[in-house]
Amino acid sequence: MTVDVDPGVDVVHAETTLPEYLALMRQPVDFRALMRQVAFAAKRVAAELRVAGLRGMLGSTGQINVQGETVQQLDSYANATFVNNLLRSPVVSDLVSEEMPEGLHLARHKREYALLFDPIDGSSNLDVNLSIGSIFSVRSSDDVLTTGRCQLAAGYVLYGPATLFVLAMRELGVHFFTLDPTIGEFLYWRGPVTMPEKGSSWGANEVHSASWSRRVSNFVSWLKDATPHSTRYSGALVADFHRILCNGGVYMYPSDSTYPNGKLRLLYEAAPLAFIADCAGGRAVSEEQDILEIQPEAIHERTPFIIGSRTEIEHFLPARS
Ligand code: AHM
Ligand code: MG
């Protein structure tokens, strides 16, 4: 019997899985192993989310986490799922999670990767069945408390009508994989994705607007009046950022009187999304500096966060003399 061999078998096609893609792109074996564990955890979380209401998995655990926020049962489930899968991976030597007060240092024969993650981003959307995400940042284990420029890769999983795995790597750019739940695989969808130079929507929690800085307030007036941007704010950063990555625009959580240093956490929320934006041609800043230039001092530190298309973010930045 002869078999016709497709001359395109070694290029990315509609049935290319995430592990096949990373192999085709000649990514290091250990990085591929790490991504396999992250993707496996994401598939478990996606499966649980689909039936969580039926299993009594909605609502809080009654505990308060290190951030002073109520822990939802699914925050706890997703954190345990990520941690347990990553503990099985010999290439991970450090774990930092929004849900754990301290980082975990694992006994490994060599120090290799650190994974910093927010297991469930947008927890307030859980009980109302709206989109949420998981965010992750990959660093060398020696680089946990260094600037965001040192990230080796970053990504997120968007649990929406479809479950998307979005992965940014410096040399390859940003690529989307869609979970086909019938076969349990993330299949290549599209990339490299570029963020439009300018968008038509913006999002922030305006209940805090009275205590925003004058510069932020002026910027918002410009977004609303000078170049009309529609408001889009879902309560889940991953979902709001994904819209901006695809269509352009701005998401912001600046400093205010409730959150003088901003609400979002630098290492596992702001820096990974800033890295993704940067790989896609967008930009992210605190009110003072580029997010990727901030030198972190603690694993759970917060930062004001303004991310989006270059045109809008450069309008926000003070004019250089
Ligand atoms: P979480 O990780 O505890 O869910 O907090 C982060 C979330 C973001 O996803 C979202 O954009 C923001 O907090 C919403 O905050 P608020 O409800 O204050 O608007
Ligand atoms: Mg979060």
Side-chain angles (χ1 to χ4, degrees):
M1 182 176 91
T2 54
V3 178
D4 287 335
V5 177
D6 177 349
V9 287
D10 62 348
V11 298
V12 175
H13 54 86
E15 298 272 280
T16 302
T17 64
L18 174 62
E20 281 171 345
Y21 171 80
L22 295 174
L24 280 171
M25 296 298 131
R26 298 191 165 74
Q27 292 301 294
V29 172
D30 287 356
F31 178 71
R32 284 151 51 188
L34 172 62
M35 286 303 101
R36 222 176 13 255
Q37 292 305 128
V38 172
F40 188 88
K43 285 187 253 184
R44 272 257 176 274
V45 171
E48 187 64 26
L49 288 171
R50 261 180 242 124
V51 290
L54 301 175
R55 293 196 184 160
M57 283 290 285
L58 298 180
S60 92
T61 60
Q63 293 163 323
I64 303 291
N65 70 10
V66 63
Q67 326 282 341
E69 291 156 1
T70 305
V71 179
Q72 301 296 316
Q73 292 185 67
L74 284 163
D75 286 326
S76 182
Y77 174 87
N79 187 57
T81 302
F82 273 89
V83 170
N84 290 336
N85 277 287
L86 291 158
L87 286 178
R88 280 191 219 117
S89 171
V91 303
V92 180
S93 37
D94 289 88
L95 292 175
V96 170
S97 164
E98 178 179 335
E99 299 300 334
M100 301 192 298
E102 307 288 340
L104 276 184
H105 306 284
L106 312 173
R108 300 289 190 234
H109 68 277
K110 65 171 175 166
R111 285 172 65 71
E112 196 162 6
Y113 292 117
L115 196 89
L116 297 78
F117 60 99
D118 179 357
I120 297 282
D121 167 70
S123 306
S124 74
N125 281 2
L126 283 168
D127 287 356
V128 288
N129 192 37
L130 294 175
S131 291
I132 54 164
S134 302
I135 307 174
F136 62 89
S137 162
V138 181
R139 291 171 177 254
S140 147
S141 275
D142 297 324
D143 279 342
V144 172
L145 285 183
T146 55
T147 69
R149 294 236 180 261
C150 297
Q151 292 173 101
L152 301 174
Y156 58 83
V157 183
L158 171 60
Y159 309 96
T163 299
L164 290 190
F165 191 99
V166 174
L167 180 60
M169 292 165 288
R170 184 57 74 195
E171 333 73 66
L172 296 174
V174 183
H175 296 265
F176 294 175
F177 301 82
T178 303
L179 180 63
D180 182 338
T182 60
I183 56 171
E185 294 279 6
F186 282 107
L187 298 179
Y188 189 84
W189 182 31
R190 68 189 180 100
V193 174
T194 50
M195 187 186 291
E197 287 266 310
K198 186 177 186 314
S200 57
S201 71
W202 80 288
N205 186 341
E206 277 197 281
V207 77
H208 302 295
S209 61
S211 60
W212 286 343
S213 68
R214 179 174 296 261
R215 191 147 73 89
V216 168
S217 301
N218 289 345
F219 179 51
V220 169
S221 301
W222 177 78
L223 289 169
K224 288 175 165 176
D225 305 329
T227 56
H229 284 67
S230 304
T231 311
R232 295 286 183 271
Y233 188 75
S234 73
L237 169 61
V238 165
D240 291 330
F241 174 72
H242 190 72
R243 175 193 294 280
I244 288 162
L245 178 59
C246 296
N247 297 342
V250 180
Y251 167 98
M252 66 175 87
Y253 214 116
S255 53
D256 57 48
S257 54
T258 311
Y259 299 107
N261 299 317
K263 179 182 181 191
L264 299 173
R265 278 53 55 121
L266 176 62
L267 286 178
Y268 42 79
E269 292 179 324
L273 297 191
F275 180 90
I276 298 166
D278 194 51
C279 290
R283 235 181 129 176
V285 294
S286 68
E287 282 161 67
E288 303 304 324
Q289 65 185 127
D290 201 305
I291 291 289
L292 295 175
E293 304 292 346
I294 299 175
Q295 173 61 52
E297 279 165 17
I299 58 172
H300 294 298
E301 79 184 51
R302 298 174 191 256
T303 180
F305 188 51
I306 302 174
I307 191 167
S309 295
R310 261 181 190 269
T311 306
E312 285 88 333
I313 300 299
E314 281 165 13
H315 183 88
F316 172 74
L317 292 169
R320 293 217 172 82
S321 51

